[in-house]
Every structure is written in C-alpha cells, then in structure tokens.
Amino acid sequence: MAQKIIILGAGESGVGAALLAKQKGFEVKVSDKGMIAPHFKKELSENLIEFEEGGHSDDLLTDVTEIIKSPGIPDRVPIIKEAKKLGIQVSSEIEFASRFTTAKIVAITGTNGKTTTTLLTHHLLQEAGLDVEVAGNIGESFARKVAEKDHDYFVLEISSFQLDDIHYFKPSVAILLNITPDHLDRYDNSMEKYAAAKFRMIENMRPGDLFIYNADDEHIAKEINKRETNIWTATFSEANSRGNALHIPRFYSPAIDEPEELANEQLIFDGLPLRGAHNAMNMSAAIIAALRVGCDKEAIEKGLKTFKNAAHRLEVVAKINGITFINDSKATNVDATSYALDAFETPIIWIAGGTDKGNDYEQILHKVNQNVKGIICLGVDNEKLLRTFGEMVSYVAETQDVNKAVMKAYHLADSGDIVLLSPACASFDLFKNYEDRGDQFKKAVHEQLGKLDTQGDYSLDDRG
C-alpha cells in the first residue's frame, strides 16, 4: 500500500511537491484553507491529484505518513498542531524534494540579496558549462524542477520559512548573506530565533561541504560563536571590495587547518556587473561558490560580464534629460533600502512608503541627511516617514498615484540626479505585490516621460 502524503497549501511550492509525490508513487492529497488558483487546480486535475479548497476535511490526517507544508503556513495553525500531536512528520517542500535528487546543492539564504546572489551563482555555473538549474524561493519550486529532470547542480534560494521544516536537507555549498530584522512575527519577535532558523541550513552539512558567510554581520558572528563545526568555511566582507575589484579569499578546512590552495594568492575580479557595497558582497559569495564547484577564473570572469540582474532590484529604467530612474521595488524593508541608498553618490529623489512593517529608520538617517534632496511618499499612511524625515530634506510630497509620484520626482530632480523607488515597505496598500509596484513605476516613467526628447535640455518649468 502506498504511503499517504498530505500537501498543505496549493501554491507553487505545494503543487510542485504534489507533482513530485505523485511521480514517486505516493498517495497524495492537496488541501488548502483558501481557494486554489485556477491554473493550479487545472494542473492538479490533469495529473489526477486529489485536492480540496476552502478548508481542511475532518479526516484529513487519518493514516497520513507525512505532511508537506507550504512555507507560508506557520506552526501555530490548528492543523499543524494536531499533526504534531499525532506524531506525523511535518516537512518543507525543499526537504521532500532533496530526497529525490543526486545533485550537488548550492543553497543561498539571508534577509536581503538572496535573489540576486542566486541568479548570479546560477549564471556563473551555467556559463562555465555545468548542468545546473535554479529553483526554490524564486521562480518554480525545487520539487517541480526535480520532477521534471535531475541535474548535476541545483542553485536554490531558500527562505527561513523553508528551513523551519527540514530534517535531512544538506547542501554541498551554503551561503548566508546577512541577518537583519524581518518576519519576526513568525519567530516570537526574537532575532535569536530568526537567526537560528537561518543557521538550520548548515546543520546536516559534513566535512568537505562549504559554508560561505558574511564576516561583517553581527548576528551571524553571534551564531557562529555558539557552534562547533567541522565543515569548510569561507568568508566575504566589505573589506574584500576595493574600488571596482573583488579580492576573493581562499577556503579554510578545519580538517587540515590550512587554506585550501585555490591560487598562489587571492584572486582578483574586476569589470563587475552590479553596483553598491551590498552587491559587491553578493558577488563575492557567488564567486566563492562557483570556485568551490570547479569553475575556473576565466569562466567566472566571462559570466560576470554577461550577467543581468532580475527586475525590481536596482534596475535602471531610463535616463531622461540626465536624470536616472531606478526601480528597487523589491526593497520591502529598511535594510534593503539602506543598501540602495549606499549605491549612489549623486543626489537622490527617494520614492518611499507603503505598508509599514514596524520600520525603524534610524539606520538610514545619516544616509538620507547626506544624499537625499527630496522624498515622495507613495503610500496610504505616510505618517512615520513624514515624522522621521520631514525636517531633514528640503522637499517632501505625498501621493497615492504612481504617475504623480514619477512626475513630482522628475520636476524636483536636476540632471545627474537619481530618482530611486526603494520603498522600505510592503506594497499591499496600493499594489498587488512588489512586482506590480515596480511594473507600474516603470510604465509611468516610460508613458509620462518617454515622450520627452532625451537629448534635449529642459528647464524645471518645461518638464512634464
């Protein structure tokens, strides 16, 4: 008799896990407390996978071997509490998928920078000719990709929520970019518990596996000091970035207590595709991972030259009359916006605001004071932004219309300035999600300003 698996949640993660479970011969049922999107219902039906929506049936946990839980479902919900009370193992989709692949896994987590580093690492391995696929908390789920085809390597973006329910998941290379306050409601408002969740990524790693981490991060340093490990380590830091070059250190193996010989001296990479100190660190981590899996320096340099980052992450939208418009809509917390403000030395018109996540703006006060000449608040409730920065900059405006935000910023900016959408807030007050916010911003720039002669020279009164 086939083992019975229940999949909780019918988003990309849950449906991917269901497809893989069905393929591997399990008895599968998908259950979602909410309504399932039509395209996912169609996919489940076409694959003869039983599903229910709008609530969980009373007998759902009867004779169940394991529950695969979507990452958005917290442990405190009744169905999870009941499952654990009955002794049913609760696992994440990445845990489940990892049982059915022989690939070496490069896993990447952190509060900020995960997507950029994941995409770059995948690109470097792909450009070096390796059989590699990207999945996880980006694009399609790990389980779906494993069901489609196994590969030599998987590069995975991993969230803390996905790590909460692992048991044996073990990457060959793990990257921890940073730990800053985010999603603390899932961790009893405890940074210590949130940091511990991130560190679950390395708990099953063995000698010869490599842990790459940010040497500048105080929360990482605290957790490192609590642990004894015999895995290899490599660190990156802001100090490794000098000018437009990265100085990449060697790996360290506790087994031999000597640097692993990658080269006679530190490797130096220049001609970098991403800007800002935070991206220098992201690039360092990706390069170290690529070196560890066997990519040579020449292949990495080639990959760096051809990499293009994903949308909504310091994305250049247009340059109009000397004013550069940047879409950083993915910056949904203060730490991410801090990185964006650091990336530019020219004056900034900052478009900020949205759904506040308990933001503490103290860490960016000096950056705003130093480099921001005006703020456009794009949100329903802008009271905290106004209270914090209203007396600090020469111009502050409010709007709930992205077209007006773009025009106000354009009128305020001078040639050479940056108009930066980096909200530091969630998007749900005015938009569907951060992608929708970024897309509407880009559309507004092109439609409102695209008609202007970009070679012309407009005075303030002429613009718009």
Side-chain angles (χ1 to χ4, degrees):
M1 184 176 175
Q3 292 181 315
K4 183 178 178 182
I5 286 183
I6 296 298
I7 313 288
L8 291 182
E12 172 59 31
S13 174
V15 172
L19 293 171
L20 180 60
K22 177 79 173 182
Q23 183 189 89
K24 299 304 177 183
F26 293 95
E27 180 185 344
V28 188
K29 182 176 181 178
V30 176
S31 180
D32 199 309
K33 190 176 180 181
M35 304 308 290
I36 302 175
H39 65 287
F40 284 135
K41 280 201 280 193
K42 182 173 182 287
E43 192 170 20
L44 292 169
S45 297
E46 288 174 347
N47 285 276
L48 305 179
I49 297 172
E50 183 183 357
F51 64 87
E52 63 182 9
E53 60 183 342
H56 307 304
S57 52
D58 293 338
D59 63 346
L60 185 64
L61 301 182
T62 302
D63 298 326
V64 170
T65 305
E66 184 175 17
I67 287 175
I68 310 301
K69 177 169 77 69
S70 293
I73 301 172
D75 284 345
R76 62 177 176 268
V77 302
I79 190 77
I80 298 298
K81 286 183 176 180
E82 181 63 19
K84 291 186 174 181
K85 185 178 176 182
L86 293 171
I88 300 170
Q89 178 169 290
V90 177
S91 303
S92 68
E93 170 255 326
I94 61 160
E95 164 68 29
F96 182 66
S98 69
R99 302 170 194 169
F100 303 101
T101 176
T102 59
K104 290 185 178 179
I105 294 171
V106 180
I108 299 163
T109 195
T111 308
N112 295 300
K114 294 188 295 294
T115 299
T116 295
T117 308
T118 300
L119 292 173
L120 177 57
T121 304
H122 172 254
H123 181 76
L124 295 179
L125 270 58
Q126 191 173 56
E127 288 293 291
L130 301 183
D131 174 28
V132 60
E133 185 57 274
V134 64
N137 195 44
I138 175 175
E140 295 184 334
S141 64
F142 184 26
R144 181 188 292 275
K145 290 294 188 181
V146 170
E148 290 173 354
K149 181 190 173 184
D150 204 6
H151 294 269
D152 293 339
Y153 296 91
F154 276 101
V155 180
L156 305 180
E157 177 182 324
I158 305 288
S159 72
S160 59
F161 295 170
Q162 291 171 308
L163 291 168
D164 284 337
D165 298 294
I166 64 168
H167 307 288
Y168 306 105
F169 173 75
K170 185 190 81 65
S172 298
V173 178
I175 297 175
L176 180 51
L177 295 168
N178 45 62
I179 301 175
T180 59
D182 202 15
H183 305 301
L184 294 187
D185 56 324
R186 279 280 288 263
Y187 300 99
D188 301 324
N189 291 312
S190 166
M191 276 299 296
E192 187 173 1
K193 289 182 179 179
Y194 177 51
K198 292 292 189 187
F199 265 80
R200 293 206 64 195
M201 188 168 63
I202 69 168
E203 67 183 24
N204 298 315
M205 293 173 70
R206 297 292 179 262
D209 297 332
L210 178 66
F211 178 38
I212 305 166
Y213 64 91
N214 182 346
D216 297 342
D217 190 288
E218 60 176 312
H219 297 293
I220 293 176
K222 247 184 235 183
E223 288 296 320
I224 283 281
N225 291 334
K226 293 178 187 176
R227 291 169 165 78
E228 287 187 13
T229 178
N230 58 1
I231 59 178
W232 289 22
T233 61
T235 61
F236 58 91
S237 70
E238 196 168 338
N240 293 136
S241 174
R242 298 180 180 89
N244 293 317
L246 296 177
H247 297 242
I248 303 300
R250 308 174 201 177
F251 313 146
Y252 286 84
S253 165
I256 57 176
D257 199 31
E258 291 289 341
E260 170 71 1
E261 292 294 339
L262 289 178
N264 292 328
E265 56 187 41
Q266 287 189 333
L267 299 176
I268 300 174
F269 293 83
D270 55 17
L272 304 173
L274 301 170
R275 65 187 303 160
H278 67 297
N279 273 326
M281 297 171 80
N282 295 338
M283 287 185 285
S284 294
I287 289 168
I288 296 169
L291 289 167
R292 179 60 184 142
V293 303
C295 303
D296 60 34
K297 185 174 186 286
E298 290 71 26
I300 293 171
E301 286 177 332
K302 177 186 173 186
L304 288 171
K305 289 174 183 174
T306 56
F307 178 68
K308 295 195 182 307
N309 201 5
H312 314 297
R313 295 160 183 85
L314 290 178
E315 176 189 13
V316 177
V317 177
K319 187 170 184 178
I320 298 172
N321 298 327
I323 302 164
T324 303
F325 290 79
I326 304 290
N327 169 29
D328 193 42
S329 183
K330 180 69 166 62
T332 60
N333 58 52
V334 177
D335 197 58
T337 292
S338 176
Y339 293 146
L341 294 173
D342 268 342
F344 305 100
E345 296 179 359
T346 53
I348 294 169
I349 312 301
W350 177 32
I351 301 177
T355 303
D356 187 277
K357 298 160 71 175
N359 288 357
D360 179 359
Y361 291 109
E362 184 175 353
Q363 67 171 299
I364 62 172
L365 289 175
H366 69 287
K367 298 176 185 180
V368 173
N369 188 47
Q370 178 180 343
N371 217 25
V372 173
K373 63 190 273 188
I375 298 175
I376 313 297
C377 299
L378 180 61
V380 172
D381 181 6
N382 303 306
E383 188 273 334
K384 188 184 287 187
L385 283 166
L386 294 170
R387 185 176 70 246
T388 306
F389 301 109
E391 301 298 321
M392 187 175 293
V393 298
S394 57
Y395 180 86
V396 179
E398 291 186 84
T399 183
Q400 294 180 18
D401 184 323
V402 69
N403 292 290
K404 291 180 180 177
V406 165
M407 292 309 300
K408 285 175 185 288
Y410 179 70
H411 280 288
L412 181 61
D414 294 309
S415 180
D417 290 354
I418 299 291
V419 172
L420 173 67
L421 171 69
S422 188
C425 298
S427 55
F428 305 119
D429 57 342
L430 296 175
F431 306 94
K432 295 175 185 175
N433 47 45
Y434 78 81
E435 292 101 331
D436 179 44
R437 177 170 58 192
D439 288 340
Q440 288 199 38
F441 173 73
K442 291 190 287 185
K443 182 180 179 184
V445 170
H446 291 304
E447 290 188 353
Q448 299 297 314
L449 302 175
K451 63 183 180 290
L452 297 178
D453 176 7
T454 57
Q455 302 304 312
D457 186 12
Y458 290 77
S459 70
L460 182 64
D461 293 335
D462 291 330
R463 294 178 193 160

